[in-house]
Amino acid sequence: MGVSTPPRVLPSEAATEAGYDETRHAFAEHTYSAPASCDVCAGFLWGIVRQGYRCRQCGFNAHRSCLAPASALTCLSVRPAPRSRTASDATVVAGSASVSASSLAPPIAALVPETQNKAFAKPMVPSLAEEIAAQTVIASLSIEKARKEANPPLDLMYTTPKNTVGFITRLTPVVDAIEAVNALLSWTDNAKSTLALLVCLAFCCYPMLLAVLPLALVMFLIAFNYLERAKYEHSMRNNACTPQASSPPTLQLSLSQTPTYIRNVQFLQNQMGMFVKVFDAIEHGLRFASLFCDENPLRTIQILLISTLASLSFIYWIPFQWMAIGAVILAFSANTPLVRATFATLAPALVLMLTNKMHVLREGIQAAAIAPGGTVVQITIWENQRWWAGLGWIPHLLASERAPWSDASGVRSHAHKDLFVLPASDPVAGAWDWMDPEWTLDFEWTEEVDAKEGWQYCDHTWTSGRAVAGLGSMTRRRAWRRKMRFVPSLGMVAVAGLVPSLGGFVAPNGKKMD
């Protein structure tokens, strides 16, 4: 423990060896915690510590430079030494009881010698800037003191357990409110949930009702407290009238064993776990977004522009009241079994539909960027036949080989060329249309083809192709071709003009066309 230093008392004002002079001030250095002024010159006492001197008997304040004139003044707190009282003393005291205090305490100026009256003729009054500066220093000291008091050092033995227990015990209103909200949203009581839904919809439709919400809450609290008090008084009267059987003594549970405390601890534990999960999810999302932005800066800018335009359009066209109503209905209906089953069924289908729509839009933008007037794609289908004794060349093939209509490899089968259907059109991206009026034979896909009908004759395994049929010719095939064109919509053309080149166009069949 440190030893405090006593305030320094001036020798001139201290007790002398001959005795103590009670009519003189006993000045000592003093640290003021509030603004103070000199009682001699009325000047402000400047400084942070030990701003001036103060009389230990009467509280008279003075600058160090004003101690000389202040010493000539009489201390107003005169306490005579104790002595035995006599009858004459009692008579004097009784006679002087009617004397006013003003007659015993002459003005300070009257006690000052005439030679020093000139020093007190014009007292120094602090200016506004000086007052502001002094108050600033005092306020900064108060703020620093409050900050230190609000942030005490770590104390695992006393402060931490005390604050933890106090925090948990005071969580009861928060836990009650959250449990009540969860009960309303989960439709535990249909009547209360319906009433809460109607009240929320009323506030959404008529926002002016929020002005009377504080009054309604106060009236509700008054009525609730009145009912609780009435119930308590009624139960007390019943207990007073009914004799109670003596019950065995029960053990007093500690605070940490009460059901309310245990419930609050469980709530705090669950909320901390939820916070960890949410924090980890947000951190994972931010890490993924940062990686995506680094790898695809152009795509990121496009997504931000599109999402910003969509958000602004949504906010501009849909009123706030409708958005609030939708949020309330969604909050109350999200925990119902029907809505959960609907979301579980429709969510994957909706995601797939939106994904396909995004692919169509991307393809339309790419096609419009490559060829604003339309992208041409040539479709080629192979017609396959086999020779059968007595039947000739017919489109009846073995089950283990290619279909009558297929691609060049024969792996992928197609319908008849006259049954070929164009890809589905999209009103936003664009539409497909035929450029050629009908299908035509392709004589250029290989050199070994018949110049008249376009057939290529092969053996039993569809190899060794030649233009003329021979003794080993068991199969034949020819190619039909037709051109179609994708015509992007005007909107896609406009969007394609705003974004940079996105590379080759990906056709609906999955092939990339340069």
Side-chain angles (χ1 to χ4, degrees), residues 317-360:
W317 291 106
I318 299 180
F320 176 78
Q321 292 182 353
W322 290 105
M323 290 191 289
I325 292 173
V328 169
I329 294 176
L330 180 62
F332 275 89
S333 61
N335 292 325
T336 57
L338 178 61
V339 175
R340 285 193 173 186
T342 304
F343 281 161
T345 305
L346 296 181
L350 183 62
V351 171
L352 180 60
M353 184 183 67
L354 292 177
T355 303
N356 295 335
K357 181 67 68 174
M358 291 300 298
H359 286 317
V360 171

Side-chain angles (χ1 to χ4, degrees), residues 6 9 27 53 76 101 181 195 209 230 275 300 341 349 380 412 481 501:
V9 182
F27 286 108
Y53 289 81
L76 302 181
V181 172
L195 179 61
L209 293 176
F275 172 79
T300 303
T380 305
R412 184 177 181 181
R481 65 183 182 183
S501 177

Side-chain angles (χ1 to χ4, degrees), residues 260-300:
T260 303
Y261 187 87
I262 295 175
R263 186 193 63 167
N264 294 350
V265 173
Q266 180 183 2
F267 170 80
L268 188 61
Q269 163 196 293
N270 298 337
Q271 294 302 315
M272 288 190 295
M274 184 180 299
F275 172 79
V276 171
K277 293 180 180 179
V278 173
F279 182 86
D280 292 343
I282 294 175
E283 185 181 15
H284 177 72
L286 292 177
R287 191 183 301 111
F288 175 78
S290 177
L291 182 62
F292 181 81
C293 294
D294 293 340
E295 295 179 352
N296 306 283
L298 184 60
R299 183 68 57 84
T300 303

